[in-house]
Amino acid sequence: MGVIGVSALIEDYAMIGDMQTAALVGRDGSIDWMCLPHFDSPACFAALLGDEQNGHWWIRPVGVDPRSTRRRYRQDTLILENEWDTPTGTVRLIDFMPPRGGHPHLVRIVEGVSGTVQMKTAIRLRFDYGNVVPWIHRVDSEVVAVAGPDSVWLSGPVPLEGHNFMHDAVFTVTAGQRIPFVMAWHPSHVEESDHLDAEKALAQTERFWRDWVSKCTYQGRYREAVVRSLITLKALTYRPTGGIVAAPTTSLPEDIGGVRNWDYRYCWLRDATITLEALIRSGYTDEAHAWREWLVRAVAGEPQHIQIMYGVRGERRLAEWEADWLPGYENSRPVRIGNAAVNQYQLDVYGEVMEVLYLAQKAGMAAGEHVWGLQRSLVNYLEWCWSEPDEGLWEVRGPRQHFVHSKVMAWVAADRAVRMIEEYGMEGPLERWKALRDTIHAEVCEYGYDAERNTFTQYYGSRELDAALLLIPEVGFLPYDDPRVIGTIEAIREELMVDGFVLRYRTGIEDGADQLPGDEGAFLACSFWMANALLSIGREKEARELFERLLSLRNDVGLLAEEYDPRLGRQVGNFPQAFSHFPLVTTALNLSHHDGYRRSETD
């Protein structure tokens, strides 16, 4: 942050991480968000949701525009480079987090590219989401910040001076010179820091990412975008368990200045199928297996206690509270920690779990008998709960409804159970589950379909639409060439597309399902779904145009937030967002598969 109290645009940030936590680095060389030691830990840099007093660390040239002249990730890595051209020379800032062996480390290397450049760095450490000023002292050449359970150790060749509850320094860098700074976190009761060689860590980190990217099997025309998305998704993976967080941030608003601010540092079951599909189809079977195993562990137990989301280690208690000392990103309050939606009832999660386990089986990732036992118990429970209303995929905070997407996913659960018996010889009440599948299908077609308008609706009896209806043919409920499916795609295109992007549903409806004040941007996953739908009904040109329009929304280093606000022309919502990058990957794969099919028809 260059000016106190003024946040950068969301798309001005880039992410670095070590697959257990992440940091957001602005174009001005400022790290404004970082949680330690894990994604869901309290932030020690929280300026993103407040101001500089809530914690940040910047490094940049003196006396020039703080925004870098250019930036990039090193090819096929998560190593970020910002460069500034100044009147006296060019300087490069290299930021990364080495894949973790023990405690987390953040490394910043200042490299002189040409000439001589005067630099300045300033660091304010504030634990507990910017609320706690630590006790700071020196141990030999290191600056040590301690408060409660946390300690941060900062080392480097430049002496830092402390004043006004911050530490800063002015120094110069000449062509060919490299000045490293290393920040390490560990529990405060550990009295000595892990010492890291910055240059060795840089080489090891670069090798790790390039080796990982080399496993990608996709070679189509959108490979650059796909690889960057896959790296981002790998960085959002909590490596010890395989869980993948929706985003590394909390409370970046869907509506600037509004209350639609949620904590996304958790793992959602709604992401389960697209996560597995994208990983398997891109060649990352180890990650797909780890995700499947995280899922099985997380949902284990009584089926009535299945949740819509879990912590990265499978935690179930994600109580929501407000950090009222933080004014929020661009005064978007409240800043929420935890997520009360964890207590919602969402029928669709049963379909997500059954679909993931079926796809895993289909991909050769056979599970033990205990997993089929879990699946059987889920479907047995579904037999008597599927007819109840729920809060739906989008976690609306209005009254429960009979959401059509939820019922379709209940059908998916029954259908995949039937397929497991028929295709893989599992034991179960085949005829009973076939009857359940048929009953759900008939009810959805009777009560969730508006024959007058030839479209499925958001919930029974409603005239509103929902972008999740685009998934009806994707999950096999009806084929893409069914007139009801084509009518639904057309209706959503007509009523929910704004400035070329798809909304989840209409907000601000007096008796609508949402019941929250304010508007929101276009949820990017929905636009990717529309591109897939258009491709599948033979409208490839429109599908490709929409997909490439979505690609153009990525920031200069290839990252997407949850939503795009066409009114403001900027990204909104938590960032970077897994639920935007996963459908980017699958849509690119679908378009490239269509390219290959078309070429084979021509040959």
Side-chain angles (χ1 to χ4, degrees), residues 334-346:
V335 170
R336 293 183 171 93
I337 311 300
N339 200 312
V342 71
N343 298 316
Q344 288 191 351
Y345 170 56
Q346 290 184 19

Side-chain angles (χ1 to χ4, degrees), residues 196-226:
L196 187 80
D197 184 302
E199 296 294 345
K200 286 184 179 178
L202 176 60
Q204 290 167 353
T205 302
E206 185 165 4
R207 186 164 55 250
F208 169 85
W209 283 108
R210 289 189 171 165
D211 287 348
W212 187 82
V213 168
S214 69
K215 299 174 185 176
C216 179
T217 56
Y218 174 71
Q219 299 295 333
R221 73 166 80 176
Y222 303 112
R223 191 173 192 279
E224 178 274 327
V226 167

Side-chain angles (χ1 to χ4, degrees), residues 8 41 63 220 255 269 295 328 354 361 365 419 449 474 495 508 510 519 558 565 586:
S41 300
D255 181 24
L269 295 192
L295 181 75
M354 292 297 295
Q361 182 83 26
M365 290 186 284
R419 292 191 192 188
Y449 174 70
E474 187 72 15
E495 297 185 29
E510 185 173 344
D519 293 316
D565 192 330
T586 54

Side-chain angles (χ1 to χ4, degrees), residues 496-503 522 524 527 546 549-550 553 564 566:
L496 293 186
M497 285 196 82
V498 175
D499 296 323
F501 304 102
V502 182
L503 303 176
L524 293 174
S527 295
L546 176 54
R549 192 182 316 138
L550 290 164
L553 301 183
Y564 177 76

Side-chain angles (χ1 to χ4, degrees), residues 268-277 291 295 352-353 356:
W268 265 257
L269 295 192
R270 74 176 182 192
D271 302 0
T273 299
I274 196 169
T275 299
L276 195 82
E277 179 187 1
W291 170 247
L295 181 75
E352 287 287 352
V353 172
V356 162

Side-chain angles (χ1 to χ4, degrees), residues 163-198:
H163 57 92
N164 297 327
F165 302 102
M166 64 173 285
H167 280 71
D168 62 9
V170 176
F171 60 100
T172 58
V173 59
T174 60
Q177 186 179 12
R178 292 164 73 95
I179 300 174
F181 297 86
V182 177
M183 190 180 101
W185 178 97
H186 56 69
S188 57
H189 63 270
V190 177
E191 296 182 356
E192 185 174 351
S193 175
D194 297 332
H195 292 94
L196 187 80
D197 184 302

